Amino acid sequence: MYHCTDCKSFFNTPLKCNRGDCAFGKDCGSSLLCPFCKSAYIKVYEPQYCRCCGRRLKKGERLYCSRACMKNGERLYNEQRQNKIRIKNSPIYVLVRKLKEYNEQHKTNLSYGQFVAGGYV
């Protein structure tokens, strides 16, 4: 999203400057223009959102919109981290990592079933 500092409007797609469209003259070529007032004084505007609930943050707020969202966000992050650790240590993932290591070491292309049935474990 873009913001024009002259007319204070917000827009999604700026205009590309053609000859004579802006105040910079013929050699402008690569400037972007406001579609409303044709000003070249535009800035990229990226609003910040709360990491927990998704509300737009007010000035001065950085990651979360309230203490409740901060606590909830930290709780969810810790739960997600524990879940990833649990998945990473599950027996099937451990076996798949062993299979990949075996295939790389012996330059083979065994499938999971061949690896388990063949007793390579």
Side-chain angles (χ1 to χ4, degrees):
M1 183 173 244
Y2 295 89
H3 178 254
C4 177
T5 56
D6 285 346
C7 70
K8 310 291 186 216
S9 60
F10 292 91
F11 49 93
N12 289 326
T13 53
L15 295 175
K16 290 213 176 190
C17 181
N18 294 325
R19 292 183 186 173
D21 278 353
C22 69
F24 297 115
K26 296 178 183 177
D27 298 330
C28 181
S30 65
S31 290
L32 300 175
L33 302 174
C34 172
F36 304 108
C37 69
K38 307 257 181 177
S39 170
Y41 299 108
I42 60 175
K43 293 181 180 179
V44 176
Y45 176 75
E46 294 183 19
Q48 300 289 326
Y49 297 97
C50 177
R51 288 187 173 185
C52 182
C53 67
R55 288 186 186 149
R56 187 175 284 186
L57 295 177
K58 297 174 187 170
K59 283 191 175 186
E61 295 175 339
R62 292 190 171 214
L63 301 175
Y64 299 101
C65 64
S66 66
R67 279 218 182 279
C69 277
M70 184 174 77
K71 287 181 181 179
N72 195 28
E74 289 173 355
R75 180 186 60 80
L76 291 171
Y77 174 77
N78 288 331
E79 284 179 13
Q80 183 181 16
R81 199 174 99 223
Q82 292 298 322
N83 194 25
K84 284 184 180 182
I85 290 170
R86 188 175 62 248
I87 288 171
K88 186 178 176 184
N89 294 329
S90 72
I92 197 148
Y93 279 93
V94 171
L95 195 57
V96 168
R97 283 195 299 273
K98 286 182 183 178
L99 167 64
K100 183 178 177 186
E101 182 182 311
Y102 181 86
N103 280 338
E104 288 174 359
Q105 189 176 30
H106 297 286
K107 299 193 185 336
T108 59
N109 193 15
L110 296 176
S111 69
Y112 175 82
Q114 292 169 330
F115 185 70
V116 173
Y120 298 103
V121 182

